Amino acid sequence: MSIWTRIADALTALRKGEPLSSVFDRLRTPPERTVAFTIAVIALGAKLAKADGQVTRGEVAAFRRIFTIPREEEANAARVFNLARQDVAGFDLYARKIAAMFPPRDPVLVDLMEGLFEVAMADDGFHPQEEAFLREVADIFGLTERCFRCLRARFVGDVPPDPYDVLEVSQDAPIAVIRRAYRDAVRETHPDRLAARGVPQEAVKLAEHRLRDLNRAWEEIQQGHAA
């Protein structure tokens, strides 16, 4: 059964008039977290896409860069997007329901934030309203300021990301400690690790950006120590 069929089943279980946000109360068990993750990215992404006052084709297309959506499943993905966009509930309610499913600063919440930054940057701009939206979601998820700053630098690109922030190590840490942090981060970015956390196979593209940035950060730090 595909992730999109399982999403369709989850939506069908909603009672008449029940908001999309209530679906997260039924998706707490590990096997269903892949469904929750996908709905969360699409739902929060739909709210985010409205944050700057308009939903662009680029922002909608961003979901295709995050998820592999078969043509026959487009209707199910579109239904989630439209339900979230029409829901009167604020994005903070969605974020709190999602945060309640995981421990604070859980890696899955960082995965989600990466997906949201991908949506925000789909129109090649970063609106102040989008930044405020993402910062509040990060706060609700319990992410640190350092983590948010790193994500912002990686995706927005108006300032180069600090390689030490990317690897979440201190600048005065021994090179052996930094190397270990780099290897641990790469291991956690492996598609098998993401799948174990509940990130669906359809969204493993998220790992591509992260792995690229991890490798670049490690190279920069190595060059700095060799100088």
Side-chain angles (χ1 to χ4, degrees), residues 46-65:
K47 296 288 189 182
L48 173 62
K50 291 178 63 179
D52 59 0
Q54 59 183 344
V55 180
T56 68
R57 287 186 177 181
E59 286 168 328
V60 175
F63 293 108
R64 291 192 171 280
R65 292 201 293 274

mmCIF file of all heavy atoms in Angstrom, residues 46-65:
data_model
loop_
_atom_site.group_PDB
_atom_site.id
_atom_site.type_symbol
_atom_site.label_atom_id
_atom_site.label_comp_id
_atom_site.label_asym_id
_atom_site.label_seq_id
_atom_site.Cartn_x
_atom_site.Cartn_y
_atom_site.Cartn_z
ATOM 1 N N ALA A 46 1.233 24.234 3.089
ATOM 2 C CA ALA A 46 0.101 24.981 2.547
ATOM 3 C C ALA A 46 -0.115 26.268 3.331
ATOM 4 O O ALA A 46 -0.390 27.331 2.760
ATOM 5 C CB ALA A 46 -1.160 24.117 2.591
ATOM 6 N N LYS A 47 0.010 26.181 4.659
ATOM 7 C CA LYS A 47 -0.114 27.379 5.498
ATOM 8 C C LYS A 47 1.035 28.345 5.203
ATOM 9 O O LYS A 47 0.837 29.560 5.116
ATOM 10 C CB LYS A 47 -0.086 26.989 6.976
ATOM 11 C CG LYS A 47 -1.243 26.118 7.442
ATOM 12 C CD LYS A 47 -2.542 26.893 7.506
ATOM 13 C CE LYS A 47 -3.631 26.085 8.179
ATOM 14 N NZ LYS A 47 -4.926 26.808 8.205
ATOM 15 N N LEU A 48 2.227 27.788 5.047
ATOM 16 C CA LEU A 48 3.400 28.622 4.766
ATOM 17 C C LEU A 48 3.265 29.311 3.420
ATOM 18 O O LEU A 48 3.642 30.481 3.264
ATOM 19 C CB LEU A 48 4.660 27.758 4.801
ATOM 20 C CG LEU A 48 5.975 28.419 4.363
ATOM 21 C CD1 LEU A 48 6.321 29.583 5.282
ATOM 22 C CD2 LEU A 48 7.103 27.394 4.371
ATOM 23 N N ALA A 49 2.730 28.591 2.435
ATOM 24 C CA ALA A 49 2.602 29.160 1.100
ATOM 25 C C ALA A 49 1.701 30.390 1.101
ATOM 26 O O ALA A 49 1.825 31.255 0.229
ATOM 27 C CB ALA A 49 2.057 28.114 0.124
ATOM 28 N N LYS A 50 0.811 30.493 2.079
ATOM 29 C CA LYS A 50 -0.075 31.656 2.186
ATOM 30 C C LYS A 50 0.539 32.764 3.037
ATOM 31 O O LYS A 50 -0.001 33.869 3.095
ATOM 32 C CB LYS A 50 -1.404 31.246 2.809
ATOM 33 C CG LYS A 50 -2.268 30.363 1.918
ATOM 34 C CD LYS A 50 -3.545 29.967 2.623
ATOM 35 C CE LYS A 50 -4.414 31.176 2.946
ATOM 36 N NZ LYS A 50 -5.683 30.780 3.612
ATOM 37 N N ALA A 51 1.667 32.481 3.683
ATOM 38 C CA ALA A 51 2.231 33.427 4.647
ATOM 39 C C ALA A 51 2.622 34.754 4.017
ATOM 40 O O ALA A 51 2.544 35.805 4.657
ATOM 41 C CB ALA A 51 3.436 32.809 5.358
ATOM 42 N N ASP A 52 3.056 34.718 2.751
ATOM 43 C CA ASP A 52 3.451 35.964 2.095
ATOM 44 C C ASP A 52 2.309 36.569 1.286
ATOM 45 O O ASP A 52 2.509 37.475 0.476
ATOM 46 C CB ASP A 52 4.680 35.755 1.201
ATOM 47 C CG ASP A 52 4.442 34.715 0.113
ATOM 48 O OD1 ASP A 52 3.330 34.163 0.052
ATOM 49 O OD2 ASP A 52 5.369 34.474 -0.677
ATOM 50 N N GLY A 53 1.096 36.039 1.499
ATOM 51 C CA GLY A 53 -0.082 36.636 0.883
ATOM 52 C C GLY A 53 -0.528 35.994 -0.408
ATOM 53 O O GLY A 53 -1.587 36.320 -0.923
ATOM 54 N N GLN A 54 0.254 35.075 -0.957
ATOM 55 C CA GLN A 54 -0.147 34.438 -2.192
ATOM 56 C C GLN A 54 0.493 33.063 -2.299
ATOM 57 O O GLN A 54 1.545 32.813 -1.737
ATOM 58 C CB GLN A 54 0.256 35.284 -3.403
ATOM 59 C CG GLN A 54 1.748 35.553 -3.490
ATOM 60 C CD GLN A 54 2.113 36.449 -4.653
ATOM 61 O OE1 GLN A 54 1.319 36.636 -5.554
ATOM 62 N NE2 GLN A 54 3.301 37.007 -4.640
ATOM 63 N N VAL A 55 -0.202 32.186 -2.996
ATOM 64 C CA VAL A 55 0.314 30.840 -3.244
ATOM 65 C C VAL A 55 0.769 30.792 -4.698
ATOM 66 O O VAL A 55 -0.029 30.947 -5.613
ATOM 67 C CB VAL A 55 -0.771 29.770 -3.006
ATOM 68 C CG1 VAL A 55 -0.208 28.380 -3.280
ATOM 69 C CG2 VAL A 55 -1.297 29.858 -1.579
ATOM 70 N N THR A 56 2.060 30.620 -4.908
ATOM 71 C CA THR A 56 2.597 30.616 -6.263
ATOM 72 C C THR A 56 2.692 29.193 -6.798
ATOM 73 O O THR A 56 2.695 28.215 -6.042
ATOM 74 C CB THR A 56 4.004 31.239 -6.293
ATOM 75 O OG1 THR A 56 4.917 30.363 -5.598
ATOM 76 C CG2 THR A 56 4.007 32.608 -5.629
ATOM 77 N N ARG A 57 2.791 29.094 -8.118
ATOM 78 C CA ARG A 57 2.975 27.776 -8.722
ATOM 79 C C ARG A 57 4.272 27.141 -8.243
ATOM 80 O O ARG A 57 4.378 25.937 -8.081
ATOM 81 C CB ARG A 57 2.992 27.909 -10.247
ATOM 82 C CG ARG A 57 1.636 28.193 -10.869
ATOM 83 C CD ARG A 57 1.710 28.173 -12.379
ATOM 84 N NE ARG A 57 0.408 28.376 -12.988
ATOM 85 C CZ ARG A 57 0.183 28.380 -14.286
ATOM 86 N NH1 ARG A 57 1.208 28.198 -15.123
ATOM 87 N NH2 ARG A 57 -1.026 28.555 -14.771
ATOM 88 N N GLY A 58 5.278 27.995 -8.015
ATOM 89 C CA GLY A 58 6.563 27.482 -7.551
ATOM 90 C C GLY A 58 6.456 26.816 -6.207
ATOM 91 O O GLY A 58 7.079 25.787 -5.944
ATOM 92 N N GLU A 59 5.646 27.412 -5.307
ATOM 93 C CA GLU A 59 5.495 26.834 -3.977
ATOM 94 C C GLU A 59 4.746 25.514 -4.037
ATOM 95 O O GLU A 59 5.069 24.568 -3.317
ATOM 96 C CB GLU A 59 4.792 27.835 -3.065
ATOM 97 C CG GLU A 59 5.696 28.989 -2.653
ATOM 98 C CD GLU A 59 4.952 30.135 -2.002
ATOM 99 O OE1 GLU A 59 3.784 30.380 -2.358
ATOM 100 O OE2 GLU A 59 5.547 30.795 -1.141
ATOM 101 N N VAL A 60 3.738 25.452 -4.888
ATOM 102 C CA VAL A 60 3.030 24.185 -5.056
ATOM 103 C C VAL A 60 3.977 23.150 -5.674
ATOM 104 O O VAL A 60 4.020 21.988 -5.252
ATOM 105 C CB VAL A 60 1.784 24.371 -5.942
ATOM 106 C CG1 VAL A 60 1.114 23.026 -6.218
ATOM 107 C CG2 VAL A 60 0.798 25.330 -5.276
ATOM 108 N N ALA A 61 4.757 23.575 -6.670
ATOM 109 C CA ALA A 61 5.692 22.659 -7.336
ATOM 110 C C ALA A 61 6.786 22.181 -6.382
ATOM 111 O O ALA A 61 7.393 21.134 -6.606
ATOM 112 C CB ALA A 61 6.322 23.342 -8.542
ATOM 113 N N ALA A 62 7.041 22.943 -5.317
ATOM 114 C CA ALA A 62 8.085 22.553 -4.367
ATOM 115 C C ALA A 62 7.803 21.191 -3.766
ATOM 116 O O ALA A 62 8.729 20.435 -3.445
ATOM 117 C CB ALA A 62 8.204 23.586 -3.258
ATOM 118 N N PHE A 63 6.524 20.870 -3.610
ATOM 119 C CA PHE A 63 6.199 19.564 -3.053
ATOM 120 C C PHE A 63 6.691 18.439 -3.951
ATOM 121 O O PHE A 63 7.006 17.350 -3.487
ATOM 122 C CB PHE A 63 4.690 19.452 -2.833
ATOM 123 C CG PHE A 63 4.186 20.382 -1.764
ATOM 124 C CD1 PHE A 63 3.432 21.485 -2.085
ATOM 125 C CD2 PHE A 63 4.507 20.168 -0.440
ATOM 126 C CE1 PHE A 63 2.984 22.360 -1.107
ATOM 127 C CE2 PHE A 63 4.074 21.031 0.549
ATOM 128 C CZ PHE A 63 3.312 22.131 0.215
ATOM 129 N N ARG A 64 6.772 18.730 -5.246
ATOM 130 C CA ARG A 64 7.270 17.705 -6.163
ATOM 131 C C ARG A 64 8.776 17.507 -6.003
ATOM 132 O O ARG A 64 9.304 16.472 -6.393
ATOM 133 C CB ARG A 64 6.940 18.081 -7.608
ATOM 134 C CG ARG A 64 5.465 18.006 -7.912
ATOM 135 C CD ARG A 64 5.212 18.086 -9.404
ATOM 136 N NE ARG A 64 3.820 17.809 -9.691
ATOM 137 C CZ ARG A 64 3.299 16.591 -9.741
ATOM 138 N NH1 ARG A 64 4.063 15.540 -9.506
ATOM 139 N NH2 ARG A 64 2.021 16.416 -10.001
ATOM 140 N N ARG A 65 9.448 18.505 -5.484
ATOM 141 C CA ARG A 65 10.884 18.345 -5.233
ATOM 142 C C ARG A 65 11.123 17.626 -3.913
ATOM 143 O O ARG A 65 12.182 17.052 -3.702
ATOM 144 C CB ARG A 65 11.566 19.713 -5.228
ATOM 145 C CG ARG A 65 11.587 20.384 -6.590
ATOM 146 C CD ARG A 65 12.681 21.432 -6.662
ATOM 147 N NE ARG A 65 12.404 22.552 -5.783
ATOM 148 C CZ ARG A 65 11.657 23.601 -6.121
ATOM 149 N NH1 ARG A 65 11.094 23.653 -7.308
ATOM 150 N NH2 ARG A 65 11.463 24.593 -5.275
#
